[in-house]
Structures are given as C-alpha cells and as structure tokens.
C-alpha cells in the first residue's frame, strides 16, 4: 500500500498495537545508524562494504583457505568495530515492542542477518542469528569456540588455542555455507506463526533469509518493509515505509524522542 508516508506509518502503528505475534527480519541497515557499514546500497553517498571489497575474496570458505591472514585481518577489524558499537533507537524500539507483546501474551521474534550482536546489547530476548556472529570465533580443526579479548588480534592468521594446526575463524556464515539448522527452523516457525512480518534494513537479496517473508505471505501475514531505498520486495509488501529504521521504528512504537 502506498500513499502519504504519514498515513501509512499511522496504519502500521495501529497494526503493531493490535498484533500478538510479530516476526522481524533485520539486516545491515538496522545497524547503519550505529556506525556499522552495510554490504550493498544503491545510493551513491552511502558506504557499503561490497562497493569497496569483493565478497568472493573475503566472505567465502575458499577465500579463507586461499589467504587466511587477509581474511582474518579484515574480520578482526570489523569485530573490534562491532564490540565498540552501541545499539541505536531502532534496536531499542524493537526491544520495547517485544516487551509490550510479551506483557499481553504475544511475542516478537527478531531474525537477524547481522553478526554484530547489537540486538542482544539492546536487550532483545531470543534473537535468532541467521548468519552467526563476529564476536565468537572457532577452531578450524576442532570446531571449539572462544570469545577473543576485545583488543585487535596480535597475529594473522590467528592460531587456535585448541589444536596445534588449527586456525581461528569468525563464527559467521560465509557464502556457500549452510545456515545453522536451529536458526533456520526457528525462522520458518516464526514466519509461519506471525500475524505481522517486518523486513527492516535488508536488501532482501541473500537467501535463504530473504525467502522467509514468502512463508509469512503464504500464511496471510501483514507484511511491512522499512528501508530508505526500494528493494525487490517493496512492491510485494502490504506497507513499504521509506525511511531509516532508527527513526521510523521509534515513531511506530511510540519511543521517539
Ligand atoms: C537502511 C538504513 C537505515 C541503509 N535504516 N535501512 C537462491 C537464489 C540465489 C542464490 C542463492 C539462493 N539460495 C542460496 C543462494 C546463494 C547465496 C545467496 O543468497 N546469494 C545471493 C547474493 C545471490 N546464499 C548463501 O550462500 C547462503 N548459504 C546457503 O544458501 O547455503 C546452502 C547450503 C546448504 C547446505 C550445505 C551447504 C550450503 C549463505 C549466505 C551467507 C551470507 N553471508 C553474509 C556475510 C556474513 C559475514 C560477514 O558479516 O561478513 O551475510 S553476505 C552479507 O549479506 C551478510 C548479510 O547478513 C547478508 C545480507 O545483507 P543485508 O543485511 O540485507 O545488508 P545489505 O547491505 O544487502 O542491505 C542493507 C539495506 O539496508 C539496504 O537495502 C539499504 O538501503 C538499507 N539501509 N541504511 C534502514 N538507516
């Protein structure tokens, strides 16, 4: 549905106020206002990682096998950026909405593609991490995970403390790798059970995450997109709200300053 942004927003606010089960798929745009780069953006003035770097040389298992030092250095710099970042009003509005729904016997499930842990920092409970996280790293030989200290790593690649021949790699999901099964099951369940599905700050280009909205649509859920740019789902959703999530979400939830 289009129309004046103000009216569409008011309608979505009413939908949210009446909803009992909401699923929210979040992407890098939700963290943009916390200073974390997105991956893709059509806007010429917006920084996006894949405009600067080729994902095939950084975000694939083949890239890590080919040059583990280069990949580790890049991910470690991003890890430090995420550790130093704080949630923005968009993250906090989702936490407020989750608490409101839980207090009336419903729930809000955040399905995030983000690896930055900012939804956790904002206090949202039960966050489903579809693409893992950048805060914990695992041994390539044993699979054991650790949380490296909050300073830049001293060596690239990073030797594993668990195996003499192992390396540490971030617990993120690279292209060609399977998403964690429990996260996919939880996401399908939340998308299938919700009355409202929101896609916030995602380009909806990466699968299987971008497909969960189809599950919600097939079950008749009201669908909402929040994004300053148009995406492949903008014409498919019930409401497409054009704007920054750190501004739109607080207005929808009533936490705007
Ligand atoms: C704002 C804003 C503001 C700005 N407010 N908004 C079906 C069809 C075609 C291909 C495939 C398919 N199924 C699978 C594939 C292959 C592939 C894929 O999807 N490729 C496509 C790109 C073509 N998928 C995979 O490989 C996945 N694995 C898989 O399918 O495995 C199968 C398998 C099964 C069994 C065994 C083995 C394999 C894995 C995908 C992993 C994605 N990984 C990354 C990197 C994570 C680590 C890291 O952080 O480096 O995840 S890629 C990158 O994209 C990252 C993100 O989570 C993901 C999604 O990006 P997101 O979040 O949407 O961000 P952007 O930047 O794209 O968009 C930001 C948006 O925000 C923009 O629209 C802005 O306008 C907006 N914005 N400011 C609100 N203030």
């Amino acid at each position: 549905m289009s129309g004046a942004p103000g009216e569409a927003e008011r309608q979505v606010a009413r939908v949210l106020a009446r909803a009992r089960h909401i699923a929210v798929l979040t992407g890098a745009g939700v963290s943009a206002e916390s200073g974390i780069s997105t991956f893709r953006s059509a806007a010429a003035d917006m920084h996006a990682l894949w405009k600067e770097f080729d994902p095939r040389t950084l975000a694939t298992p083949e890239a890590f096998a080919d040059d583990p030092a280069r990949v580790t250095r890049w991910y470690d710099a991003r890890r430090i950026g995420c550790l130093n970042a704080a949630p923005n009003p968009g993250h906090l509005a989702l936490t407020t909405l989750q608490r409101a729904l839980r207090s009336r016997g419903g729930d809000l499930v955040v399905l995030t593609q983000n690896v930055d842990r900012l939804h956790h920092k904002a206090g949202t409970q039960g966050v489903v991490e579809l693409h893992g996280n950048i805060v914990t790293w695992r041994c390539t030989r044993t699979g054991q995970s650790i949380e490296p200290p909050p300073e830049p790593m001293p060596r690239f690649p990073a030797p594993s403390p668990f195996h003499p021949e192992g390396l540490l790699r971030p617990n993120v999901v690279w292209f060609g790798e399977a998403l964690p099964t429990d996260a996919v099951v939880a996401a399908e369940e939340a998308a299938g059970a919700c009355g409202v599905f929101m896609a916030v700050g995602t380009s909806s280009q990466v699968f299987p995450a971008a497909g969960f909205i189809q599950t919600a649509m097939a079950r008749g859920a009201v669908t909402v997109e929040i994004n300053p740019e148009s995406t492949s789902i903008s014409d498919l959703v019930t409401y497409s709200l054009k704007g920054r999530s750190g501004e739109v979400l607080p207005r929808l939830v009533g936490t705007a300053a």
Side-chain angles (χ1 to χ4, degrees):
M1 182 179 291
S2 57
E7 179 50 26
E9 246 187 61
R10 277 192 289 279
Q11 290 185 25
V12 174
R14 283 196 289 272
V15 167
L16 297 184
R18 284 196 300 264
R20 280 178 72 87
H21 291 278
I22 300 178
V24 187
L25 174 69
T26 64
V30 161
S31 297
E33 289 154 272
S34 294
I36 308 238
S37 291
T38 63
F39 297 91
R40 307 165 188 82
S41 171
D45 60 343
M46 194 175 281
H47 181 255
L49 290 169
W50 297 158
K51 283 183 186 172
E52 193 180 341
F53 303 101
D54 179 350
R56 287 167 303 186
T57 66
L58 290 162
T60 63
E62 294 77 17
F64 185 72
D66 186 48
D67 194 343
R70 175 180 146 80
V71 173
T72 305
R73 191 178 289 111
W74 192 72
Y75 273 95
D76 193 45
R78 287 184 49 215
R79 176 181 73 93
I80 297 299
C82 291
L83 287 175
N84 290 331
N88 65 56
H91 296 105
L92 296 170
L94 289 176
T95 304
T96 301
L97 187 55
Q98 183 184 61
R99 288 182 185 147
L101 279 153
R102 287 183 169 193
S103 75
R104 54 179 195 259
D107 204 359
L108 176 148
V109 184
V110 169
L111 316 170
T112 192
Q113 298 168 86
N114 299 343
V115 298
D116 54 35
R117 288 262 156 108
L118 288 182
H119 288 298
H120 296 76
K121 275 191 192 168
T124 299
Q125 304 286 306
V127 178
V128 176
E129 292 184 317
L130 295 165
H131 294 164
N133 77 85
I134 203 167
V135 173
T136 62
W137 291 50
R138 68 174 184 268
C139 173
T140 51
R141 286 300 182 107
T142 69
Q144 284 166 284
S145 284
I146 59 158
E147 189 168 330
E151 301 95 44
M153 290 179 180
R155 288 172 61 191
F156 303 109
S160 165
F162 304 113
H163 191 284
E165 286 160 35
L167 295 176
L168 287 180
R169 60 153 285 179
N171 257 331
V172 301
V173 180
W174 284 324
F175 284 115
E177 292 186 322
L179 278 63
T181 305
D182 52 350
V184 174
V185 169
E188 280 292 357
E189 209 171 279
C194 69
V196 182
F197 186 99
M198 303 173 81
V200 185
T202 176
S203 61
S204 293
Q205 288 187 31
V206 175
F207 287 83
F212 296 132
I213 193 168
Q214 303 292 345
T215 304
M217 281 175 174
R219 296 293 187 94
V222 174
T223 51
V224 179
E225 179 181 54
I226 301 174
N227 197 313
E229 296 176 15
S230 289
T231 73
S232 57
I233 64 164
S234 300
D235 291 337
L236 306 176
V237 292
T238 324
Y239 298 97
S240 168
L241 302 182
K242 292 279 178 284
R244 296 175 177 196
S245 50
E247 295 166 5
V248 177
L249 281 170
R251 287 201 299 267
L252 291 174
V253 175
T255 56

